[in-house]
Amino acid sequence: MRLLPPAPGGPRQGSPRHLPSCSPALLLLLLLAGCLGVSRAAAGSRRPNVVLLLADDQDEVLGGMTPLKKTKALIGEMGMTFSSAYVPSALCCPSRASILTGKYPHNHHVVNNTLEGNCSSKSWQKIQEPNTFPAILRSMCGYQTFFAGKYLNEYGAPDAGGLAHVPLGWSYWYALEKNSKYYNYTLSINGKARKHGENYSVDYLTDVLANVSLDFLDYKSNSEPFFMMISTPAPHSPWTAAPQYQNTFQNVFAPRNKNFNIHGTNKHWLIRQAKTPMTNSSIQFLDNAFRKRWQTLLSVDDLVEKLIKRLEFNGELNNTYIFYTSDNGYHTGQFSLPIDKRQLYEFDIKVPLLVRGPGVKPNQTSKMLVANIDLGPTILDIAGYSLNKTQMDGMSLLPILTGASNLTWRSDVLVEYQGEGRNVTDPTCPSLSPGVSQCFPDCVCEDAYNNTYACVRTMSELWNLQYCEFDDQEVFVEVYNLTADPHQINNIAKSIDPELLGKMNYRLMMLQSCSGPTCRTPGVFDPGYRFDPRLMFNHHGSVRTRRFSKHLL
């Protein structure tokens, strides 16, 4: 597949952005824009390239990285693996919006996978897209930017500009219409629709993304650094493996860990409604799904290998940072929920994160608490752009990656989710409460309109806690000590020290109202933490309450 011309507004030969990368004119431009430190500009060194590989629904807790042997060897073993990487929302579109903007969902206002939930809506396009980190890389830092794969779940919707819409910030645009597929899909090629069928050799999406990415590396301009974001469909449903991998993992089954196929006692009503034990047909279904998910990831492993080999062949590997992660985790039978994400537990909110690049020593593991809102700040930091010039909530991982000493880091992150569903009874499941959604044939439902929660995920030297509050009639609270209870079976909300419970409640309210630097303030267990009672009151003098988004803006 030959690389097509850039997207409208993309780089053109002869424009100022095609000056040699270290010419005086370009250096002056970048210094004025804040994209180069003085020392790097003076030295005339080449600015690093960046590649971000994003899987779809790939868990970390249940062994999601196991099939990716080449990826672990080529990225993880050649750099750093983060063992405590989280997403601020366990659902595709809000999480992807957080990656692009560096913001928590309450600040980018994408609350679910629908246009009404601000997923690729006109409001998102107008307010958030101009401020994404790729837009900054392109407009302020002179990077070529390349996107291939799934963007946001409602991308291409006719009510939001259709496939002609190319978001600001992308020089080359190869975006999937709506949600993940492997065959019979449509791509926006720099704003023009191209349909694909079901011929493996030319249509299998993971391979198509690999081929167009290799084309970009061969035909891009060599006078500018580049950023690539490759967003694979795997391992999202419908779990269609490449033909050569369809018979692999025949003896693999979903992990039977301690929270598999058990009743969710003392949990939110949505978890309690799951039927325990699961039926044999449900278990067979989820085992098959688990196996197929792994099969689809083998093509992702091939993509990673091809990409790194091409970077090495082109002489660019040693000057390129490569990130591998996922938009959310996944569950297969935990607390008797068949398959999905959306829940507050580790299996849904924890994701893989592997990074290699200049200055990153091999075979490292970091236990630092990180989130996908940190990816944008990190990549801008790599490009030399100051986080202080943005409105991002995250932190740059670059000091961790390069082994900075005396590093002060966060001890908590926010997780927030707004449930999907309408306040009506499902006619196929009349015995269930109104508002359920994502229901299976046996009337076990994975979501509901009041499955709306916010959590503080805390990790410090002495504490490994998760504190969550639901916005429902129960005002339900779940608290877990993950040191003693890593599978989150025992909700200790009623037995934990009331003073600690109160502190976590206050911290949650602060994080739900944070923006930019206030999202990076010390947590409850940090030495610098100070509880200021004045923060419990808004500027009108009334008591601040939990903030759950009911409106987009």
Side-chain angles (χ1 to χ4, degrees):
M1 180 182 291
R2 185 66 181 264
L3 190 70
L4 294 178
R12 294 289 186 268
Q13 294 292 339
S15 71
R17 293 178 57 221
H18 278 267
L19 292 169
S21 60
C22 290
S23 70
L26 184 57
L27 287 177
L28 177 61
L29 174 65
L30 294 171
L31 283 168
L32 291 173
C35 279
L36 265 182
V38 175
S39 60
R40 179 176 288 173
S45 60
R46 292 179 59 200
R47 289 171 292 143
N49 310 304
V50 183
V51 176
L52 173 58
L53 295 149
L54 181 65
D56 195 355
D57 284 2
Q58 184 181 1
D59 68 276
E60 192 276 339
V61 172
L62 302 180
M65 284 299 298
T66 303
L68 297 173
K69 294 181 179 180
K70 291 181 283 191
T71 300
K72 289 187 290 184
L74 292 170
I75 303 179
E77 293 176 15
M78 298 302 295
M80 182 175 289
T81 298
F82 288 85
S83 60
S84 302
Y86 290 84
V87 295
S89 190
L91 188 63
C92 300
C93 204
S95 181
R96 288 164 180 263
S98 287
I99 292 173
L100 292 164
T101 63
K103 297 177 181 179
Y104 283 119
H106 69 262
N107 286 327
H108 61 58
H109 308 291
V110 178
V111 297
N112 57 41
N113 287 343
T114 66
L115 279 177
E116 295 77 15
N118 207 27
C119 181
S120 200
S121 67
K122 289 185 177 180
S123 174
W124 157 265
Q125 295 169 13
K126 178 180 178 181
I127 297 173
Q128 300 298 337
E129 281 185 346
N131 298 304
T132 62
F133 78 85
I136 296 172
L137 282 176
R138 183 180 177 189
S139 65
M140 304 299 290
C141 301
Y143 272 66
Q144 301 169 85
T145 53
F146 168 91
F147 182 87
K150 175 180 170 179
Y151 178 56
L152 301 174
N153 295 57
E154 283 295 328
Y155 172 73
D159 292 341
L163 294 174
H165 172 68
V166 177
L168 287 174
W170 297 103
S171 312
Y172 299 89
W173 181 251
Y174 292 76
L176 177 67
E177 180 183 31
K178 297 197 172 181
N179 208 357
S180 285
K181 292 182 178 180
Y182 299 82
Y183 294 111
N184 298 311
Y185 55 85
T186 302
L187 293 177
S188 170
I189 312 295
N190 296 327
K192 296 183 178 180
R194 175 185 290 173
K195 291 187 177 181
H196 280 260
E198 51 188 30
N199 182 340
Y200 169 72
S201 62
V202 294
D203 296 319
Y204 189 69
L205 181 56
T206 305
D207 291 353
V208 169
L209 300 182
N211 292 336
V212 74
S213 299
L214 298 180
D215 280 350
F216 170 77
L217 291 176
D218 288 343
Y219 296 110
K220 64 177 175 56
S221 166
N222 290 323
S223 64
E224 302 166 342
F226 61 83
F227 167 70
M228 302 177 73
M229 184 171 178
I230 305 167
S231 180
T232 72
H236 196 285
S237 62
W239 317 304
T240 309
Q244 66 269 30
Y245 296 134
Q246 289 179 356
N247 293 320
T248 58
F249 305 122
Q250 290 304 305
N251 295 319
V252 168
F253 303 91
R256 270 43 172 185
N257 50 15
K258 290 184 178 180
N259 55 18
F260 178 83
N261 197 17
I262 67 169
H263 184 64
T265 306
N266 294 324
K267 288 176 167 52
H268 186 244
W269 74 265
L270 186 66
I271 309 301
R272 300 195 304 263
Q273 58 87 33
K275 297 177 180 179
T276 307
M278 292 184 288
T279 63
N280 289 336
S281 61
S282 292
I283 293 176
Q284 289 174 3
F285 172 76
L286 67 87
D287 277 337
N288 190 47
F290 187 90
R291 187 178 304 113
K292 288 184 174 181
R293 283 165 52 80
W294 277 23
Q295 292 170 353
T296 66
L297 284 170
L298 293 175
S299 293
V300 176
D301 212 28
D302 292 341
L303 181 157
V304 171
E305 181 184 41
K306 293 174 185 176
L307 188 76
I308 290 177
K309 283 185 175 180
R310 187 62 56 87
L311 285 167
E312 185 174 28
F313 180 81
N314 292 351
E316 295 174 312
L317 181 60
N318 291 337
N319 194 42
T320 301
Y321 288 89
I322 304 174
F323 295 74
Y324 183 93
T325 191
S326 173
D327 55 1
N328 48 256
Y330 208 71
H331 58 258
T332 49
Q334 284 62 48
F335 301 122
S336 298
L337 296 173
I339 56 166
D340 201 28
K341 50 265 185 175
R342 307 170 195 266
Q343 309 308 331
L344 58 86
Y345 308 104
E346 294 282 284
F347 42 74
D348 283 0
I349 65 173
K350 195 173 184 181
V351 293
L353 178 58
L354 289 66
V355 188
R356 67 173 288 174
V360 184
K361 295 179 180 179
N363 289 307
Q364 293 187 88
T365 299
S366 173
K367 296 181 181 180
M368 293 291 197
L369 179 61
V370 302
N372 71 9
I373 57 171
D374 300 329
L375 295 175
T378 303
I379 293 169
L380 291 178
D381 195 9
I382 289 169
Y385 192 84
S386 173
L387 177 60
N388 295 330
K389 295 177 179 289
T390 74
Q391 298 177 337
M392 294 183 175
D393 303 331
M395 304 171 68
S396 172
L397 304 178
L398 196 56
I400 300 176
L401 292 169
T402 55
S405 58
N406 300 319
L407 180 64
T408 300
W409 197 251
R410 67 157 74 91
S411 65
D412 58 22
V413 293
L414 175 68
V415 178
E416 50 191 351
Y417 177 69
Q418 182 168 316
E420 292 186 66
R422 298 181 179 180
N423 193 11
V424 294
T425 300
D426 186 336
T428 62
C429 301
S431 63
L432 295 179
S433 301
V436 293
S437 63
Q438 312 299 317
C439 297
F440 286 83
D442 58 356
C443 291
V444 173
C445 302
E446 296 274 4
D447 205 4
Y449 78 100
N450 68 352
N451 182 36
T452 297
Y453 59 81
C455 306
V456 181
R457 182 68 179 91
T458 297
M459 297 181 71
S460 69
E461 290 185 7
L462 299 177
W463 294 94
N464 187 6
L465 291 177
Q466 185 174 12
Y467 172 90
C468 302
E469 297 181 3
F470 283 84
D471 184 30
D472 61 7
Q473 293 180 346
E474 291 182 287
V475 193
F476 202 79
V477 176
E478 295 189 30
V479 184
Y480 298 97
N481 177 353
L482 282 97
T483 300
D485 180 24
H487 295 97
Q488 297 170 290
I489 294 171
N490 301 309
N491 179 7
I492 60 173
K494 294 182 180 179
S495 59
I496 195 171
D497 180 358
E499 181 179 355
L500 178 56
L501 199 67
K503 287 182 179 180
M504 298 299 288
N505 169 265
Y506 299 150
R507 180 61 177 164
L508 178 59
M509 285 192 282
M510 295 306 101
L511 285 175
Q512 283 188 278
S513 300
C514 76
S515 179
T518 60
C519 297
R520 303 188 287 271
T521 55
V524 169
F525 302 109
D526 289 330
Y529 175 76
R530 296 290 183 272
F531 171 61
D532 185 349
R534 292 174 297 179
L535 296 177
M536 297 303 300
F537 298 89
N538 60 31
H539 63 278
H540 298 296
S542 58
V543 176
R544 191 190 299 267
T545 57
R546 290 177 296 162
R547 175 182 173 182
F548 291 98
S549 175
K550 297 298 185 185
H551 305 284
L552 298 183
L553 300 172

